[in-house]
Amino acid sequence: MDNAIQQLTSADALSTKTFILVGAGAAQSDSYTENLRLPLAQALRDKLLVAHYGNIEIDECIQKFEKEFEIEKPSSDQVWQMLIKSVTNLRNHAERLYLEFSSEKPIPPSYHMLARWFFTPNISIGGIATTNFDLQFSKAFENVATSLNKRKTIDYNIADLAQDFHYFDTCDKPIKSVIQMLHGSLVRPWSIVAGSKENIHDMLHYLHGILKPLEDNPFEIIRQIVYYFDKKSKGHVDQIFFPYQYLQKSLEKSDTIIIIGYSFNDKELVRSIDKGCGKGKIYVIDPNPDEKRIHNIKSLANAHIIKGKAEDFLRKYIRHLHSEESLIQLPSRERRILRDGPQNIPGYDPGENMPKSDGKSGIESEFIDPIYGKFFFSKEISNDILKLIDTGEVQRLRQIKQLSFVNLKYHGATHDRFSHSLGVAYLADILINYWKGNNIDKLYKEIAHADHLSFLTAALIHDIGHGPLGHTMDLVRYKLKDAKGHEADTTKIFEQIFAEDSFADLDKALSNLKIARDDVISILGRSEKKQSRHSLHSIINNSGCDIDRLDFVLRDAASTLLIRGSSDRTDSIIKRHFENLITNYNRILQGVRFFRKNGESVLAYDKTVENYMESFAYLYLKLYDDVYYCWQNISARSMIAEAVVEMVNSGKLKFSDIKPLTDVELIATLEEFEHPKVSELAYLVKYRHLYRLVYEIKISDDEARKMELISDAEIIEKYQEHYSEIKKDGLLVARLPSKKVEVNFVSTTELSNNEEGGLLTDRIQSSNMGCISARIMIFRPPAPWHR
């Protein structure tokens, strides 16, 4: 495929006229639900049979048809011919086909890609034609023409009726301005009904020399035509369908013909192509041609078969034609908050919208939190932390859900990353004040005001790098082969914030507070040099229990695990562990200790808090097993990730433009995106019509590492015997890592300080407090639905 695309986009190829013929196969998109796809011939056959014989299994329908009409393995055309023997059947089935090709269905992505090809400057277009029956082809061209503002600057027309072909054939318009729609042939006149055209009579009227039209009954005309061919000519006529004559003349003026998703069952059309192409090169995009079709293709001169899906071919082909300049940027109002801050808000002043002193208690600020109740920050840093909280970068976290799509199972789990970040900063404040008040050892006894504020700043902004829907963007990175996580995005945001020409809100606040960038980055552990990490780094980020994990375990468990409230023994255990943790989280913070290992500060906990750690570990792992890895959350995340990847691969948006969006902005962007696969996935998630879990398996870490090296398709193939009854088109694969809790415990009474100021490593016990396995989940598209 890649070699063919290189040839088609070479300088020589672009200087010659190219003509594209589009069959129904080009409109297929794997991620669509069944009723949203434009049906292929066999799907139409099956729908007609079920409609005729009742809602029974398709195999039983076929058996009844074969017995009734004595036809083995009937084609779609044969089914149509036999089932329309009465006017009533004909009318019912014609209306059913009209619905199958309704304009309410999404526009296939291939149509928008073809429209983008048609409007690409500096290429020579010979024309474009489609044998598809739906009305969406012309809608796609209208959409793209409008979005590119080229409706008035490029002359083009859609041939909707047979009369249009006659008009194009006789007028002086250049071939480039013509887009043809071919509606069946005289060999299969019944196919015309499948064109979803209300003007069936007009189209049939143009079929000269066969039958005098019956003005008042177009359905009877169709029946009579079918009878005529069935009785007189056995399906073969010498007269060529008029649009095919026009297609032949069009091809004569083109040097390259690309045929996409066409079945090659219509020998009359194949002959027209063969006569028209002359010495021109023909590229046939056909993933699985059968023996009969290969024979028909080989009858074409200069035909080259290219294996691969039509949508994949078109995406690569169009992207090769378009430069980076064609990327469409999001409006500035949707993407500036992480770069410019909210200075454009009239009368804006940092800290203006935060709580003030009540004039009695002397409290500078207070917050009402569902986990910690009413709390406030230390008086000496309260005003400063308020100014940081009120920056645009931190306020944006109000619009990022903490638990992605967990609320699709636990509807009360709707808290945001702002609440979590505020909670982590509060825990950091408790910890610093405890150290300062108790002079634990040399490492902490002289903590200055700047260190205190730097630590709280790092705790507060540790999640500002999160993209919309949190860890959903990590799935996007995996699919795009981008190994960086949201931590790297935080570093990137810092680089933007602290650039000399930056107008970022957070930059302004930090400058006013004289907080050094290097101190905050060092505490967050974002420095490239591992040795430059601050001793406090592991308080926010480690593999055991840190203040980040402690807050989200308490917060997430309260809105999910704790509310189940049944008398089940497991729920009683959950409640006991939660009460133990929520009552004693202060004791955990008081048990924090440090020791030195290979010159680096490592976090440990006093042995006296081990009981509370057991509660933390139980809830942490239970959350992953029952909440974070619930199939509803993983399905929705996978669907949105698939949509974002599709949007990025389309070339219209860069991933870097998507990351600064909020949850609502991302969903809105997906819904409004021109690619129907993208918008459809967004709608499905929005209305909780999720892909269904068909297979889940827990695997070892070694197996998980091996799985990372193979594609989703290979994983589907590996486990296919477990869901053999499920269609494999459009399956989504989710790879979920294992999780474990490892905590270092020390007995403070048995240790002494070393020269570095930390604790000696003698008798330090590393304890694995539990783990859950990695797993693979496979999802299938949901059953057909109607919006």
mmCIF file of all heavy atoms in Angstrom, residues 640-658:
data_model
loop_
_atom_site.group_PDB
_atom_site.id
_atom_site.type_symbol
_atom_site.label_atom_id
_atom_site.label_comp_id
_atom_site.label_asym_id
_atom_site.label_seq_id
_atom_site.Cartn_x
_atom_site.Cartn_y
_atom_site.Cartn_z
ATOM 1 N N ILE A 640 -13.390 6.514 23.867
ATOM 2 C CA ILE A 640 -12.962 7.897 23.695
ATOM 3 C C ILE A 640 -11.530 7.950 23.182
ATOM 4 O O ILE A 640 -11.184 8.765 22.316
ATOM 5 C CB ILE A 640 -13.096 8.671 25.016
ATOM 6 C CG1 ILE A 640 -14.572 8.841 25.369
ATOM 7 C CG2 ILE A 640 -12.414 10.034 24.927
ATOM 8 C CD1 ILE A 640 -15.376 9.645 24.355
ATOM 9 N N ALA A 641 -10.678 7.058 23.702
ATOM 10 C CA ALA A 641 -9.293 7.014 23.224
ATOM 11 C C ALA A 641 -9.251 6.688 21.736
ATOM 12 O O ALA A 641 -8.486 7.291 20.971
ATOM 13 C CB ALA A 641 -8.489 5.978 24.015
ATOM 14 N N GLU A 642 -10.091 5.748 21.301
ATOM 15 C CA GLU A 642 -10.157 5.387 19.884
ATOM 16 C C GLU A 642 -10.584 6.595 19.050
ATOM 17 O O GLU A 642 -10.048 6.849 17.967
ATOM 18 C CB GLU A 642 -11.153 4.244 19.701
ATOM 19 C CG GLU A 642 -11.257 3.709 18.276
ATOM 20 C CD GLU A 642 -10.121 2.777 17.910
ATOM 21 O OE1 GLU A 642 -9.302 2.433 18.791
ATOM 22 O OE2 GLU A 642 -10.052 2.391 16.736
ATOM 23 N N ALA A 643 -11.560 7.354 19.559
ATOM 24 C CA ALA A 643 -12.039 8.534 18.843
ATOM 25 C C ALA A 643 -10.953 9.612 18.747
ATOM 26 O O ALA A 643 -10.761 10.225 17.694
ATOM 27 C CB ALA A 643 -13.278 9.100 19.541
ATOM 28 N N VAL A 644 -10.217 9.833 19.852
ATOM 29 C CA VAL A 644 -9.159 10.850 19.843
ATOM 30 C C VAL A 644 -8.045 10.457 18.887
ATOM 31 O O VAL A 644 -7.533 11.287 18.128
ATOM 32 C CB VAL A 644 -8.602 11.065 21.270
ATOM 33 C CG1 VAL A 644 -7.372 11.972 21.233
ATOM 34 C CG2 VAL A 644 -9.674 11.675 22.168
ATOM 35 N N VAL A 645 -7.668 9.170 18.897
ATOM 36 C CA VAL A 645 -6.621 8.692 17.984
ATOM 37 C C VAL A 645 -7.059 8.892 16.540
ATOM 38 O O VAL A 645 -6.279 9.324 15.686
ATOM 39 C CB VAL A 645 -6.297 7.209 18.263
ATOM 40 C CG1 VAL A 645 -5.416 6.634 17.157
ATOM 41 C CG2 VAL A 645 -5.597 7.060 19.606
ATOM 42 N N GLU A 646 -8.317 8.593 16.262
ATOM 43 C CA GLU A 646 -8.840 8.771 14.905
ATOM 44 C C GLU A 646 -8.779 10.242 14.509
ATOM 45 O O GLU A 646 -8.432 10.586 13.374
ATOM 46 C CB GLU A 646 -10.276 8.267 14.846
ATOM 47 C CG GLU A 646 -10.813 8.088 13.440
ATOM 48 C CD GLU A 646 -10.125 6.968 12.700
ATOM 49 O OE1 GLU A 646 -10.000 5.861 13.246
ATOM 50 O OE2 GLU A 646 -9.687 7.215 11.548
ATOM 51 N N MET A 647 -9.093 11.120 15.458
ATOM 52 C CA MET A 647 -9.083 12.556 15.180
ATOM 53 C C MET A 647 -7.656 13.035 14.904
ATOM 54 O O MET A 647 -7.426 13.820 13.992
ATOM 55 C CB MET A 647 -9.684 13.304 16.371
ATOM 56 C CG MET A 647 -9.890 14.783 16.143
ATOM 57 S SD MET A 647 -11.076 15.526 17.302
ATOM 58 C CE MET A 647 -10.303 15.190 18.867
ATOM 59 N N VAL A 648 -6.699 12.539 15.691
ATOM 60 C CA VAL A 648 -5.303 12.923 15.478
ATOM 61 C C VAL A 648 -4.801 12.374 14.147
ATOM 62 O O VAL A 648 -4.142 13.069 13.367
ATOM 63 C CB VAL A 648 -4.418 12.419 16.640
ATOM 64 C CG1 VAL A 648 -2.939 12.652 16.335
ATOM 65 C CG2 VAL A 648 -4.800 13.119 17.938
ATOM 66 N N ASN A 649 -5.127 11.109 13.861
ATOM 67 C CA ASN A 649 -4.660 10.487 12.614
ATOM 68 C C ASN A 649 -5.270 11.132 11.375
ATOM 69 O O ASN A 649 -4.730 11.025 10.280
ATOM 70 C CB ASN A 649 -4.980 8.987 12.616
ATOM 71 C CG ASN A 649 -4.058 8.198 13.528
ATOM 72 O OD1 ASN A 649 -2.957 8.658 13.847
ATOM 73 N ND2 ASN A 649 -4.489 7.032 13.962
ATOM 74 N N SER A 650 -6.418 11.791 11.553
ATOM 75 C CA SER A 650 -7.044 12.454 10.403
ATOM 76 C C SER A 650 -6.198 13.613 9.899
ATOM 77 O O SER A 650 -6.367 14.080 8.782
ATOM 78 C CB SER A 650 -8.436 12.956 10.780
ATOM 79 O OG SER A 650 -8.342 14.098 11.615
ATOM 80 N N GLY A 651 -5.287 14.101 10.757
ATOM 81 C CA GLY A 651 -4.438 15.209 10.362
ATOM 82 C C GLY A 651 -5.019 16.576 10.645
ATOM 83 O O GLY A 651 -4.375 17.594 10.415
ATOM 84 N N LYS A 652 -6.241 16.630 11.170
ATOM 85 C CA LYS A 652 -6.867 17.935 11.402
ATOM 86 C C LYS A 652 -6.439 18.558 12.720
ATOM 87 O O LYS A 652 -6.439 19.774 12.860
ATOM 88 C CB LYS A 652 -8.393 17.811 11.377
ATOM 89 C CG LYS A 652 -8.971 17.649 9.985
ATOM 90 C CD LYS A 652 -10.430 18.034 9.962
ATOM 91 C CE LYS A 652 -10.617 19.513 10.202
ATOM 92 N NZ LYS A 652 -12.029 19.934 10.092
ATOM 93 N N LEU A 653 -6.124 17.716 13.705
ATOM 94 C CA LEU A 653 -5.728 18.219 15.008
ATOM 95 C C LEU A 653 -4.473 17.517 15.490
ATOM 96 O O LEU A 653 -4.272 16.332 15.210
ATOM 97 C CB LEU A 653 -6.847 17.995 16.038
ATOM 98 C CG LEU A 653 -8.097 18.869 15.940
ATOM 99 C CD1 LEU A 653 -9.138 18.391 16.929
ATOM 100 C CD2 LEU A 653 -7.760 20.315 16.201
ATOM 101 N N LYS A 654 -3.650 18.236 16.225
ATOM 102 C CA LYS A 654 -2.502 17.623 16.868
ATOM 103 C C LYS A 654 -2.880 17.215 18.289
ATOM 104 O O LYS A 654 -3.735 17.829 18.918
ATOM 105 C CB LYS A 654 -1.332 18.609 16.911
ATOM 106 C CG LYS A 654 -0.753 18.969 15.553
ATOM 107 C CD LYS A 654 0.398 19.950 15.723
ATOM 108 C CE LYS A 654 1.017 20.311 14.384
ATOM 109 N NZ LYS A 654 2.116 21.290 14.524
ATOM 110 N N PHE A 655 -2.214 16.185 18.790
ATOM 111 C CA PHE A 655 -2.479 15.741 20.146
ATOM 112 C C PHE A 655 -2.172 16.855 21.149
ATOM 113 O O PHE A 655 -2.848 17.009 22.168
ATOM 114 C CB PHE A 655 -1.649 14.489 20.449
ATOM 115 C CG PHE A 655 -1.961 13.853 21.778
ATOM 116 C CD1 PHE A 655 -3.268 13.739 22.219
ATOM 117 C CD2 PHE A 655 -0.945 13.375 22.587
ATOM 118 C CE1 PHE A 655 -3.567 13.158 23.436
ATOM 119 C CE2 PHE A 655 -1.225 12.791 23.803
ATOM 120 C CZ PHE A 655 -2.538 12.688 24.236
ATOM 121 N N SER A 656 -1.167 17.654 20.851
ATOM 122 C CA SER A 656 -0.799 18.749 21.748
ATOM 123 C C SER A 656 -1.916 19.783 21.869
ATOM 124 O O SER A 656 -1.993 20.509 22.863
ATOM 125 C CB SER A 656 0.490 19.426 21.266
ATOM 126 O OG SER A 656 0.320 19.926 19.950
ATOM 127 N N ASP A 657 -2.792 19.879 20.863
ATOM 128 C CA ASP A 657 -3.923 20.800 20.927
ATOM 129 C C ASP A 657 -5.090 20.218 21.715
ATOM 130 O O ASP A 657 -5.979 20.943 22.160
ATOM 131 C CB ASP A 657 -4.407 21.157 19.516
ATOM 132 C CG ASP A 657 -3.451 22.081 18.785
ATOM 133 O OD1 ASP A 657 -2.866 22.949 19.455
ATOM 134 O OD2 ASP A 657 -3.276 21.921 17.574
ATOM 135 N N ILE A 658 -5.103 18.895 21.871
ATOM 136 C CA ILE A 658 -6.197 18.234 22.572
ATOM 137 C C ILE A 658 -5.941 18.195 24.076
ATOM 138 O O ILE A 658 -6.865 18.345 24.876
ATOM 139 C CB ILE A 658 -6.390 16.806 22.022
ATOM 140 C CG1 ILE A 658 -6.817 16.879 20.552
ATOM 141 C CG2 ILE A 658 -7.413 16.021 22.841
ATOM 142 C CD1 ILE A 658 -6.800 15.552 19.849
#
